[in-house]
Amino acid sequence: MKVITAPVFRFGKDVDTDVIIPGQYLKLGYAEAAPYIMSGLRPGFSDLLVDGAIIVAGENFGCGSSREAAPAALKLAGVTALVAPYFARIFYRNAINVGLPALECPQIVDSGLEEGDWVSIDITAARIRRQKTGEEWSFSPLSPHLQEILLAGGLVPYLRRTGRDTKGD
């Protein structure tokens, strides 16, 4: 799997899906909702993602309602990966299913990573590397199956590629 390199954007713990994509934008399609991600915490956040983004957050990122729209809109806005000590479980699987890496790294909160730092993430090696200092942190490795889903771009493309898509749409 390729290495993901992008700037870090920091968020705290218990960021729920209602904040990730506020309810009033749920009637929009995922792409149309993408400009409004995190608008409850940081208006205009999606405008900052010109170089992509790796969100580094506190524990329980993605808690709340089980909105697939939350990770889908994050990805469509330019977020390339999420790193937190742990994720709400439904959010975690929804992120993987839409092809957005959600990586569990408990030591990330106290790592000293600052907003704007550039990091590289090697999903296969389960390592995060801060570009300016070379510091590294390991995260819980993803299973080969989850890596395949991410490499395919999400669950639906994976199923189509492997011939397991029975609906053909």
Side-chain angles (χ1 to χ4, degrees), residues 46-137:
S46 65
D47 295 335
L48 303 174
L49 307 184
V50 294
D51 293 320
I54 294 170
I55 290 180
V56 174
E59 60 194 31
N60 205 27
F61 188 87
C63 59
S65 58
S66 58
R67 297 179 177 174
E68 183 181 87
L74 286 168
K75 181 180 177 184
L76 289 167
V79 174
T80 54
L82 306 167
V83 183
Y86 65 87
F87 295 90
R89 297 327 291 168
I90 293 174
F91 178 87
Y92 174 82
R93 192 54 205 229
N94 282 339
I96 299 295
N97 286 350
V98 301
L100 179 61
L103 309 169
E104 295 184 328
C105 181
Q107 67 268 29
I108 205 70
V109 172
D110 298 322
S111 66
L113 272 176
E114 297 175 2
E115 183 136 339
D117 281 346
W118 280 72
V119 297
S120 294
I121 299 174
D122 184 329
I123 292 177
T124 303
R127 303 289 296 168
I128 300 167
R129 184 176 192 273
R130 182 190 246 168
Q131 295 292 311
K132 70 180 178 183
T133 64
E135 294 169 90
E136 290 191 347
W137 303 273

